[in-house]
Amino acid sequence: MTDFPRTPPRYSATFTPAINAEIRRAAATGIYDIRGGGTKRHLPHFDDLLFLGASISRYPLEGYREKCATDVWLGTRFAKKPIHLDIPVTIAGMSFGALSGPAKEALGRGASAAGTSTTTGDGGMTEEERGHSRTLVYQYLPSRYGMNPDDLRRADAIEVVVGQGAKPGGGGMLLGQKISDRVAAMRNLPKGIDQRSACRHPDWTGPDDLEIKIMEIREITDWEKPIYVKVGGARPYYDTALAVKAGADVVVLDGMQGGTAATQDVFIEHVGMPILACIPLAVKALQDLGMHRKVQLIVSGGIRTGADVAKAMALGADAVAIGTAALIALGDNDPKWESEYQALGTTADAYDDWHEGRDPAGITTQDPELSKRFDPILGGRRLKNYLKVMTLEAQTIARACGKNHLHNLEPEDLCSLTIEAAAMAGVPLAGTNWIPGRNGGF
Amino acid sequence: MQTFDLGAEGLRALNSALHALKGQTNMTEWEVINPKGAHAIAAGVDAPVDITVRGSTGYYCAGMNKLATVRVKGSAGPGVAENMMSGTVIIDGDASQYAGATGRGGLLVIKGNASSRCGISMKGINIVVHGNIGHMSAFMAQSGNIVCLGDAGEALGDSLYEARLFVRGTVKSLGADCIEKEMRPEHYAIVEDLLRQGEADTKAKPEEFRRYGSARKLYTFNIDNASSY
Ligand SMILES: Cc1cc2nc3c(=O)[nH]c(=O)nc-3n(C[C@H](O)[C@H](O)[C@H](O)COP(=O)(O)O)c2cc1C
């Protein structure tokens, strides 16, 4: 028999092994895939932007000698007691229930040591978190789990959650495995049942109602607290404008990369816009209303490094928020638990079944034994270190661009590596003055 | 009796005066005149005071109330007594949407009708409605009781958890996972007690009510129930 060259097996780019595996899984179980984390697909992101740095026309600041400030005021529009943070990297809202009590404590410790705020989440405020957070933002969510006027008053700011980047238009879910006695009691529900948090608020719909709702919260808290409005990256221009109209002090904008504790994979991967595309639209809305820097903008969704922080701020954000990165800093997905990840059918850095409550690192769980593995003091120290590094990195870049405050970074400090990023971020493609869709080409 | 002219002095002055009563135990009486449909009247009160509002109120009257008794001598706008913790709120007229939403405790009495989503997401509050309740009432209601002397609109108790719904009249339709349940002695006792507290014991008898509650089929996801979602 003649040995002809054979066609090697060729995978389809449409029916990839991963797609086929999901079809088989769906066929076998009859239920969609639920998971934690953010989008895993490739998206235009901050990596597609570069800083230009100083040159003859712009001179830099000296690394260790010349000051580059990092502080930020939030809530200066209406609140009697606006918040002042040392660094513009905040900790995003993550629910107690999704996270263990010690993990919430560690977030409070780390954030406070680094001079920034933490945020509660669906499920209410825990003592661990209030006690260990110098500045705590209290979320006001559709479920209203644990909501009460005393916690509203002992919060430092209130965040009305309209949506989340991972699932704009979606509600929450916390599966029965994670409903311990304590979680059940805080949420006023039977133990061990699946919880579906509503996707709409129970007592308001639309921007006119939101305005009245914000006014009510201000009345209850005697106009002391900054009120944030958090939206997922869906229609950032209009959502920002409407939040401002409704009386928000701060707009929190979460792009589609944003993490979640548990959501359908199809939702995480297919709904919402990348944060890169959202920021310029939100900034434009603020500028059009004459409110840029008066109503502060916090952005989130896939922020990992000081470079990401600097880029978000150069595009016009006042601060950023991190969720997933904070969990990784605490020790989530650490390769030191590899054998246990393997036993769960996954691997370190890919583990995302946070909803199942079996997290080997003891962070996204309510299991008392697993929780014990996590040391909140050590976790807090690691988070503080990480926040400090991000800040130093952002300062390094800002000084190189000649800026004595992170807020002075501007779009003119940036160029894009790809046409997509140029179009979305509104900064020219490197080596050109071309912003697709804006100025007609080079 | 303190009389507060809301039209002249404004909402902020009213609520800060009421908030300043926190911690006091004397049952003082307040009267609010000229409410003219203002929003957030007596929101966030945390003292055992008796507040009478002479007229109709806008959104979120008595929101997050603790301990106070608030009487509205008129009708109430959307979200009256939302997230109430304790105390009593009594509306002489009708209440708009979301009355008693997410309420955690205390008693809400509506002497007229309540609109849609009455008791939505309630978490322990008791609600007595002398008239009818609108569609989607008790949506995702977690705990507490609704006693409705009239009829209930469409999709009563949709996605209900453990709240108990007692309706004397007709129910247009039941929402997902809500079913009629047997009235047992303890349920007659609850209704009797709430009728008395809700100033309705001369209008109805416990035996006239039927009980609705959760079938608990949606408590854990099961693909065979997917069409109910
Ligand atoms: C474990 C986990 C729990 C979360 N819980 C909430 C929540 O309760 N409320 C909320 O508004 N967002 C929640 N989020 C979203 C975060 O607030 C934030 O928007 C997101 O994590 C930011 O994106 P990043 O993870 O890429 O930093 C959660 C995220 C994670 C990872």
Side-chain angles (χ1 to χ4, degrees):
Chain A
M1 211 182 13
T2 331
D3 199 7
F4 289 113
R6 296 169 60 116
T7 312
R10 183 177 173 193
Y11 286 115
S12 165
T14 308
F15 289 91
T16 61
I19 292 281
N20 292 352
E22 175 50 24
I23 293 173
R24 288 181 204 109
R25 194 204 58 75
T29 62
I31 181 167
Y32 40 47
D33 184 30
I34 295 172
R35 67 173 178 87
T39 40
K40 293 195 166 185
R41 63 151 90 204
H42 180 80
L43 288 168
H45 199 38
F46 295 116
D47 289 337
D48 301 319
L49 300 181
L50 295 175
F51 282 98
L52 298 172
S55 54
I56 297 179
S57 61
R58 302 247 179 152
Y59 52 90
L61 299 185
E62 203 64 66
Y64 295 93
R65 210 161 33 80
E66 290 180 292
K67 196 170 159 53
C68 175
T70 62
D71 68 317
V72 56
W73 283 94
L74 298 167
T76 49
R77 185 186 187 192
F78 288 125
K80 274 194 239 162
K81 296 185 177 170
I83 284 175
H84 186 231
L85 303 178
D86 297 339
I87 63 170
V89 187
T90 65
I91 305 300
M94 291 184 274
S95 55
F96 170 70
L99 302 188
S100 69
K104 289 300 267 178
E105 174 183 335
L107 293 173
R109 285 178 179 275
S112 300
T116 190
S117 60
T118 68
T119 312
T120 65
D122 215 359
M125 186 186 287
T126 62
E127 292 309 320
E128 287 94 326
E129 194 170 33
R130 176 63 280 186
H132 291 283
S133 303
R134 193 184 74 183
T135 308
L136 181 60
V137 183
Y138 184 33
Q139 285 198 328
Y140 191 83
L141 292 130
S143 71
R144 309 280 165 86
Y145 291 137
M147 177 51 53
N148 68 81
D150 301 321
D151 285 344
L152 269 181
R153 290 181 179 124
R154 63 187 190 136
D156 299 293
I158 295 149
E159 181 169 303
V160 178
V161 180
V162 177
Q164 231 180 288
K167 45 176 176 178
M173 52 171 98
L174 190 63
L175 300 191
Q177 302 87 304
K178 289 180 82 167
I179 314 295
S180 64
D181 287 327
R182 181 175 173 203
V183 173
M186 277 178 73
R187 297 180 183 222
N188 189 265
L189 282 171
K191 194 180 166 183
I193 70 170
D194 290 352
Q195 294 187 6
R196 297 152 284 143
S197 304
C199 62
R200 294 199 301 266
H201 280 262
D203 58 355
W204 65 269
T205 35
D208 298 329
D209 282 7
L210 175 59
E211 186 170 352
I212 303 170
K213 177 47 77 177
I214 289 178
M215 191 274 269
E216 182 210 8
I217 298 172
R218 288 200 194 276
E219 279 296 318
I220 291 173
T221 54
D222 293 303
W223 290 74
E224 285 181 356
K225 322 282 178 192
I227 301 209
Y228 302 8
V229 172
K230 176 174 179 175
V231 293
R235 291 175 187 80
Y237 182 86
Y238 294 107
D239 286 343
T240 303
L242 290 170
V244 170
K245 186 227 161 222
D249 290 306
V250 175
V251 175
V252 181
L253 179 61
D254 190 27
M256 79 175 288
Q257 293 95 333
T260 169
T263 301
Q264 298 92 331
D265 178 78
V266 69
F267 213 145
I268 300 173
E269 296 287 354
H270 298 278
V271 185
M273 295 208 295
I275 191 63
L276 198 61
C278 294
I279 301 173
L281 291 169
V283 171
K284 174 97 173 40
L286 292 171
Q287 287 168 340
D288 287 353
L289 294 167
M291 289 306 234
H292 191 216
R293 307 287 183 214
K294 294 182 186 151
V295 167
Q296 287 81 28
L297 177 66
I298 301 179
V299 304
S300 58
I303 289 187
R304 309 147 297 174
T305 63
D308 291 349
V309 177
K311 289 169 186 174
M313 294 183 73
L315 292 177
D318 295 274
V320 305
I322 58 168
T324 307
L327 299 185
I328 293 167
L330 295 185
D332 199 67
N333 263 294
D334 195 314
K336 80 176 181 194
W337 305 108
E338 182 59 21
S339 59
E340 300 197 29
Y341 289 123
Q342 292 284 336
L344 294 171
T346 180
T347 183
D349 296 318
Y351 174 66
D352 58 16
D353 285 328
W354 295 342
H355 58 288
E356 290 178 352
R358 288 149 72 198
D359 184 355
I363 294 169
T364 58
T365 183
Q366 293 300 321
D367 180 296
E369 286 309 310
L370 289 172
S371 299
K372 269 192 215 146
R373 294 182 178 184
F374 177 74
D375 174 352
I377 297 176
L378 185 63
R381 208 174 303 140
R382 291 172 55 93
L383 179 61
K384 180 199 80 177
N385 288 343
Y386 170 60
L387 289 167
K388 293 271 180 204
V389 170
M390 285 179 109
T391 309
L392 285 170
E393 288 175 344
Q395 283 174 301
T396 302
I397 288 172
R399 284 200 185 91
C401 296
K403 304 298 193 304
N404 66 2
H405 198 296
L406 294 182
H407 285 161
N408 296 339
L409 287 164
E410 53 195 333
E412 288 70 20
D413 292 317
L414 295 167
C415 68
S416 297
L417 280 172
T418 65
I419 296 172
E420 289 83 355
M424 290 180 190
V427 299
L429 185 66
T432 76
N433 67 2
W434 184 37
I435 301 175
R438 293 253 183 113
N439 50 3
F442 189 50
Chain B
M1 162 94 76
Q2 291 252 22
T3 298
F4 193 98
D5 185 343
L6 192 63
E9 296 175 68
L11 183 71
R12 190 74 284 271
L14 171 67
N15 284 334
S16 52
L18 293 173
H19 294 175
L21 304 173
K22 184 177 161 95
Q24 79 152 41
T25 48
N26 290 344
M27 186 66 159
T28 51
E29 279 182 39
W30 288 64
E31 178 189 51
V32 179
I33 58 170
N34 290 318
K36 295 189 179 145
H39 306 311
I41 292 176
V45 179
D46 185 2
V49 290
D50 198 310
I51 303 163
T52 300
V53 183
R54 303 229 173 261
S56 293
T57 59
Y59 281 56
Y60 310 132
C61 175
M64 298 216 181
N65 183 49
K66 272 176 99 175
L67 303 171
T69 298
V70 179
R71 300 169 207 271
V72 177
K73 300 285 175 194
S75 290
V80 63
E82 65 87 15
N83 211 82
M84 173 152 71
M85 307 298 293
S86 60
T88 306
V89 175
I90 303 166
I91 313 301
D92 276 359
D94 299 321
S96 184
Q97 308 173 78
Y98 345 114
T102 77
R104 311 185 114 74
L107 175 69
L108 169 63
V109 181
I110 296 158
K111 297 201 171 166
N113 299 310
S115 180
S116 58
R117 298 183 172 81
C118 177
I120 182 171
S121 201
M122 58 195 267
K123 298 165 167 61
I125 191 176
N126 289 320
I127 303 177
V128 179
V129 181
H130 292 206
N132 306 323
I133 56 178
H135 64 263
M136 294 298 281
S137 284
F139 174 61
M140 289 182 94
Q142 297 178 204
S143 63
N145 301 286
I146 291 183
V147 174
C148 168
L149 278 68
D151 303 330
E154 283 162 336
L156 176 71
D158 194 282
S159 307
L160 190 67
Y161 290 104
E162 296 292 295
R164 299 185 201 93
L165 316 177
F166 302 99
V167 181
R168 180 156 158 260
T170 59
V171 173
K172 190 142 191 210
S173 64
L174 294 173
D177 213 29
C178 183
I179 53 169
E180 183 170 356
K181 294 186 167 182
E182 180 199 0
M183 284 288 283
R184 293 195 300 267
E186 67 264 31
H187 304 121
Y188 289 114
I190 292 169
V191 174
E192 183 172 14
D193 183 44
L194 287 176
L195 285 173
R196 188 179 42 72
Q197 289 188 50
E199 301 172 10
D201 43 354
T202 56
K203 294 189 182 172
K205 295 191 192 59
E207 309 81 69
E208 295 162 2
F209 287 81
R210 298 164 83 156
R211 176 168 76 105
Y212 304 88
S214 178
R216 304 191 178 100
K217 287 220 176 85
L218 301 182
Y219 275 15
T220 36
F221 185 87
N222 177 340
I223 188 60
D224 298 324
N225 292 331
S227 58
S228 310
Y229 282 93

